[in-house]
Amino acid sequence: MTAQPNHDGAPLAHLPLDALHRSLGARMAPFAGYDMPLQYASGIVSETLHTRQKAGVFDVSHMGQAILAGAGAARALESLTPGDLVGLAPGRMRYTQLLNEKGGVSDDLMVTRLPGVEERLLIVVNASRKADDFALIRERLPQFDFIPLNRALIALQGPRAAAVLGALLPGAEDLPFMSWRAFEESVSSFFVSRSGYTGEDGFEISMRADRAELFVKALLDNEGVAPAGLGARDALRLEAGLPLYGHDLDETTDPVEAGLSWSIGKRRRAEGGFPGFERIDAALRNGPPRLRVGLLPQTKAPVREGAILVSQSGEVAGHVTSGGFSPTLQRPIAMGYVAREYAAPGVSLATELRGNRIGVDVAPLPFVAHRYFKA
């Protein structure tokens, strides 16, 4: 089947599992330059609830994967990010952000220190930003080997994920949260991390593209495992209060106002040495002028991205960055940024929806409690 053009006229790229998605009845849609499965026959609500109750399989091969290698690579990458990468032990991973010179988020990413004598960092970035991210790293850190990886990436998420994956790759079920291990099988390796983007326990598995279909079919042979698409992935991450780049994070947003202060290591706060340090240091010390918050619309219809939030006195208080229907809570939920004085849970705001004024209450995040693996 011929790929439909992207919004800029370029043809959409296909995932390694494109044929499998279509054979499973996926409804495809363009996302970040790729033809992606939006949902399957069961629908977004069913896929979301199945992942919460059992396990869902997501194809995230559109993400950018690369290795940065060479002595001092972690220290050098810290010049672009606020995360403590030097302190990463082999086989451990960390969430951080690439920052612009003003401290805004150019992208958020996962960094893993690979085991071995040589210093090597495995980097996973967002699909929509990978060309820019990779160009930036090459430009700013030219003294290191930078190797993009053409591998499939599969996310297995949900309470049954550990048992299912452990049956295929024994030992995977024992991995601690935010850790990584390579599992050798015949002529290739499976790179497995205990991580994900749903708030549930789960794994992300990187593998040779030509091994992906056989592996995913083996996962789907388990009655507790079902395919899930972009729609369910977005619903799950919104319920879990996780920000999405290009919506809740962008070049104007710093990590502190985004609620990501926890990702800035103690040493990095003291030493600085990353872009936008003055802005971020001031926000850490004094509090940012605005904050990312949860929002509960007092209506049955979702409030969408871009909606303006106003106070009870009519002052502009902020705006919505993500909104949708929560299958788990059976109600609309949203996230957005509001001025600090309106950021406390329980504050009542308002917005317009289809010409009507509706109430929107500030709520704590996450909406659905995280269930990450605790050893």
Side-chain angles (χ1 to χ4, degrees), residues 34-52:
Y34 286 81
D35 208 12
M36 298 282 293
L38 176 65
Q39 65 179 75
Y40 298 85
S42 61
I44 292 172
V45 170
S46 176
E47 292 166 27
T48 301
L49 296 177
H50 188 93
T51 302
R52 290 262 184 247

Side-chain angles (χ1 to χ4, degrees), residues 170-183:
E173 71 277 15
D174 298 324
L175 277 174
F177 180 56
M178 294 295 279
S179 67
W180 180 99
R181 180 178 162 191
F183 291 79

Side-chain angles (χ1 to χ4, degrees), residues 296-316:
L296 292 175
Q298 301 308 308
T299 176
K300 294 182 179 180
V303 173
R304 300 298 185 183
E305 178 180 358
I308 301 300
L309 300 166
V310 298
S311 69
Q312 295 301 306
S313 61
E315 297 291 324
V316 173

Side-chain angles (χ1 to χ4, degrees), residues 118-164:
E118 182 186 12
E119 189 170 343
R120 295 181 303 153
L121 302 176
L122 174 63
I123 298 169
V124 180
V125 303
N126 284 298
S128 64
R129 296 294 299 167
K130 65 182 173 183
D132 294 305
D133 293 349
F134 289 178
L136 174 69
I137 293 171
R138 285 193 177 102
E139 176 188 348
R140 298 289 293 274
L141 308 178
Q143 68 273 39
F144 298 96
D145 291 329
F146 185 73
I147 310 157
L149 302 178
N150 184 23
R151 294 170 66 91
L153 186 62
I154 304 300
L156 177 66
Q157 302 281 291
R160 294 195 185 176
V164 169

